Amino acid sequence: MKRTLATAVTLVALPLTLLLPGSPAAAASGADEPSPAPGVRAGADTYQRSADLARELGGRSAGSYLDTRTGDLVTTVTREADAELVRSRGGTPKLVERSGTRLREAATALEKGAKIPGTSWGVDPRRNQVVVEADSTVSAAGYATIERVAGTLDGAVQVTRVPGEFTQEVAGGDAIYGGGSRCSAAFNVSNGATRYFLTAGHCTDSVANWSASSGGPVIGRRTGSSFPTNDYGIVKYTDGSAPAGHVNLYNGGYQDITSAATAVVGQALKKSGSTTKVTSGSVTQTDVTVNYGNGNYVYGMVKTNICSSGGDSGGAHFAGTTALGIHSGSGGTCDNGVGSAVFQPVQEALTAYGVDVY
């Protein structure tokens, strides 16, 4: 997204980057659906079907994902009656061992017994497991604690060591300035005729007034912020402008954003950020918890294998004209074009503030 002329605010990357290891989780032995780099496209009907099935099945399903070979939406179930329900809704069922309720119980056990700085965990429905990643700061004793807790959960948890460090870093961003920080916005949103932009909560948490240039006039004021736990904030335009609702593609063009949806594991998406510009990848985990080394933590995130780096935080995660999330964290490197990025689901922020993309 970009504001034009006088204020020229590029709505993309935040400098207050939450860093994550630059490596996707390793595939579990016997997993039939590897994490693809390109992913597959998800249409509006796929988003809707996934959301509808999630509501109908509730904890009986461990989630849905897109089959990288066929593009079909696959929904996990633990009993044949639910498999028939999925088929009747136009989906493809997959019988698995563990329900969503069982995986949530496993995540709760990790929260109680293995909440160690430098770790993250999230659900991968393709593996039918909760995947735990421990960064380089986790000690041998800490790693042993995680493995011990995982060992009591009857195979519901996969534990892996990843390089890098879960941390927060201030880095350069091209967009808005406030309180000595330089940040950017993700999506322009509205409530009636009132215009706002969404950004990461770890930026708005400590800064109220935002300008388009360092020391420039204020263009917006924070009206809401949620961090830690979540990672989103909202800023109301106070300069009377009505900026366009599109994302900067860094090639002279912009992607119009007309809707918002919940990401599906296996789907292709892009990230627009000021450091690594536009990068592509796919969704690898949902319902992700990240425990940063500085004591901050976030829940309910989405993990991808998108390349990103310091300064991309707050950028836009999107698929075509659909807004998916606000960039929250990254590995800080893009070695061989492979990385790791976590985003805050945008729909949670839209609902919290009663606004819509446009």
Side-chain angles (χ1 to χ4, degrees):
M1 298 183 184
K2 187 174 181 178
R3 297 195 62 213
T4 57
L5 301 176
T7 55
V9 177
T10 303
L11 303 188
V12 283
L14 290 178
L16 302 174
T17 301
L18 305 183
L19 296 182
L20 295 174
S23 167
S29 175
D32 67 337
E33 196 65 27
S35 299
V40 292
R41 292 182 179 274
D45 60 331
T46 302
Y47 293 124
Q48 191 59 53
R49 193 183 320 137
S50 176
D52 290 345
L53 285 169
R55 281 193 295 270
E56 285 195 78
L57 293 170
R60 302 199 305 276
S61 172
S64 298
Y65 61 91
L66 291 174
D67 188 313
T68 59
R69 296 178 294 262
T70 66
D72 292 340
L73 178 69
V74 178
T75 299
T76 59
V77 293
T78 57
R79 59 185 188 179
E80 185 57 38
D82 286 332
E84 287 300 322
L85 173 63
V86 172
R87 294 187 191 98
S88 71
R89 301 296 188 268
T92 300
K94 180 177 176 59
L95 287 169
V96 296
E97 180 181 353
R98 304 173 193 93
S99 67
T101 297
R102 179 69 189 93
L103 293 185
R104 280 194 293 273
E105 289 171 349
T108 298
L110 291 167
E111 180 76 14
K112 291 179 178 179
K115 192 172 180 62
I116 297 170
T119 60
S120 76
W121 53 77
V123 173
D124 187 340
R126 295 166 298 191
R127 297 180 175 87
N128 192 222
Q129 288 179 308
V130 174
V131 178
V132 180
E133 293 183 352
D135 73 14
S136 61
T137 68
V138 177
S139 67
Y143 195 82
T145 296
I146 301 167
E147 288 191 314
R148 176 180 56 76
V149 174
T152 67
L153 299 174
D154 196 26
V157 173
Q158 175 198 343
V159 184
T160 184
R161 174 78 79 171
V162 294
E165 181 179 346
F166 295 113
T167 185
Q168 293 175 279
E169 178 182 82
V170 177
D174 173 24
I176 54 175
Y177 298 77
S181 297
R182 183 167 50 173
C183 302
S184 298
F187 301 104
N188 280 322
V189 295
S190 66
N191 181 335
T194 306
R195 298 291 190 265
Y196 309 81
F197 63 80
L198 295 175
T199 188
H202 64 264
C203 204
T204 56
D205 189 56
S206 58
V207 179
N209 295 316
W210 295 95
S211 302
S213 60
S214 182
V218 172
I219 63 166
R221 181 174 178 80
R222 176 192 66 206
T223 58
S225 187
S226 184
F227 178 81
T229 302
N230 300 306
D231 199 358
Y232 56 77
I234 188 169
V235 176
K236 178 183 178 181
Y237 286 106
T238 57
D239 60 353
S241 62
H246 52 211
V247 172
N248 192 347
L249 296 179
Y250 284 97
N251 60 3
Y254 299 88
Q255 173 64 62
D256 191 27
I257 299 296
T258 61
S259 64
T262 300
V264 180
V265 168
Q267 80 169 105
L269 75 165
K270 294 181 178 180
K271 174 213 61 30
S272 179
S274 65
T275 301
T276 57
K277 312 306 182 187
V278 175
T279 53
S280 303
S282 61
V283 176
T284 59
Q285 294 176 31
T286 58
D287 198 17
V288 174
T289 295
V290 184
N291 301 299
Y292 293 105
N294 59 6
N296 288 326
Y297 52 88
V298 288
Y299 298 122
M301 302 292 113
V302 175
K303 181 169 278 191
T304 73
N305 54 23
I306 286 178
C307 168
S308 58
S309 191
D312 283 332
S313 190
H317 285 252
F318 60 99
T321 61
T322 303
L324 296 174
I326 302 164
H327 189 76
S328 176
S330 71
T333 62
C334 291
D335 295 338
N336 301 316
V338 177
S340 174
V342 168
F343 67 81
Q344 160 72 53
V346 71
Q347 283 195 320
E348 185 177 359
L350 295 175
T351 298
Y353 298 130
V355 293
D356 298 292
V357 297
Y358 60 88

